[in-house]
Amino acid sequence: MPKTRPAVTLVTPTHDRPLAFALCEKYMARQTVQPDRWIVVDDGVEPAKCTLGQDHVRLPTVDSFRESFRTNWIEGLRMSRGFVLCVEDDDWYREDYIEQMVSLLESRPLVGESRAKYFNVRHRMFLTHTNRFHASLCQTGIGSDDVREAAVRFLENDKRPETLDGGLWKRSGIPPEMKLLRPASTICVGIKAVPGRAGMGVGHTLAEMRTQPYRFDPSADM
């Protein structure tokens, strides 16, 4: 008999970003493989409008960006099981994103794509990052309890929980044979400057972009 794959769980923290969250639902609704469970952890002042049957977990509002990130991700990861995909609420996902990530997780318990692509919608500028040894969190998949627990430990103990992506991939002690990192990003784009509460990553403001080799792309061709 064919082997049954683990259940697929999406984890999405959110905080007062209704437009971004609605777009995230659009990108997930069109996926060629649908998740078995979608956990939305929400500490916003106004509840997110979940329309796809998600498990909508409401936490007390946290003003600190850093502590909001920490508590939301800890809650979502603790609740998750099986193949866990980190789906951030303000990024673009190709229609076969889940299908592609599940395929990778069938061979390794920590998977993702390197050389992240970022696009700032306010200023119409894009950048391809040079990260070759880790995936951005928005395009990371977790396929075992050991890796998931390593992520939670990092969030609980590190002074900069927002560096979870690099921490998990490069500083958590997970051996190389447990990782699978594609050499380029093809199924996810990090979107910056969507209306609503600002994100914690780089590339949201013009001042930040001036420190990196962003290029103008007014028609969003990338």
Side-chain angles (χ1 to χ4, degrees):
M1 295 180 63
K3 183 179 178 180
T4 302
R5 67 158 171 80
V8 176
T9 303
L10 311 183
V11 177
T12 302
T14 193
H15 183 123
D16 292 329
R17 292 201 279 203
L19 175 58
F21 188 79
L23 289 171
C24 184
E25 284 202 327
K26 173 184 174 181
Y27 302 145
M28 292 302 107
R30 70 180 184 178
Q31 292 293 307
T32 56
V33 170
Q34 287 294 306
D36 298 285
R37 187 184 188 192
W38 187 358
I39 301 169
V40 175
V41 186
D42 176 8
D43 69 343
V45 175
E46 295 295 327
K49 293 182 180 179
C50 296
T51 68
L52 298 177
Q54 299 98 323
D55 290 339
H56 187 189
V57 181
R58 290 283 285 152
L59 296 183
T61 297
V62 177
D63 291 330
S64 164
F65 284 77
R66 179 165 286 161
E67 294 310 312
S68 174
F69 183 99
R70 187 196 307 275
T71 56
N72 282 5
W73 275 111
I74 287 174
E75 183 70 15
L77 289 171
R78 281 178 172 167
M79 292 178 61
S80 63
R81 295 294 183 272
F83 287 169
V84 181
L85 302 184
C86 302
V87 174
E88 297 195 325
D89 66 355
D90 59 346
D91 295 321
W92 175 88
Y93 293 92
R94 205 170 74 181
E95 61 270 15
D96 61 344
Y97 177 80
I98 294 177
E99 180 179 353
Q100 294 277 336
M101 293 293 279
V102 166
S103 177
L104 297 180
L105 284 168
E106 287 173 341
S107 60
R108 305 284 176 84
L110 179 60
V111 305
E113 292 188 320
S114 62
R115 302 191 68 213
K117 294 180 179 178
Y118 285 1
F119 185 82
N120 186 296
V121 294
R122 179 178 299 138
H123 298 290
R124 295 285 170 170
M125 299 175 71
F126 86 95
L127 171 71
T128 299
H129 282 273
T130 59
N131 58 308
R132 297 181 184 273
F133 301 103
H134 77 280
S136 293
L137 189 59
C138 66
Q139 51 196 131
T140 288
I142 295 171
S144 73
D145 289 344
D146 288 344
V147 175
R148 184 173 54 81
E149 290 164 5
V152 171
R153 284 196 301 273
F154 180 88
L155 289 163
E156 289 175 332
N157 297 300
D158 200 273
K159 293 180 180 179
R160 297 182 62 209
E162 70 276 11
T163 63
L164 173 60
D165 47 8
L168 184 61
W169 279 93
K170 297 187 292 187
R171 302 190 297 277
S172 65
I174 296 171
E177 60 269 20
M178 293 177 65
K179 305 174 186 177
L180 179 56
L181 188 63
R182 281 180 168 174
S185 291
T186 59
I187 55 176
C188 175
V189 176
I191 303 298
K192 307 301 176 180
V194 175
R197 194 189 205 209
M200 286 200 67
V202 297
H204 289 278
T205 68
L206 192 58
E208 289 176 313
M209 289 189 290
R210 284 173 174 160
T211 68
Q212 299 286 336
Y214 275 83
R215 289 188 285 172
F216 283 107
D217 183 16
S219 57
D221 294 327
M222 295 188 66

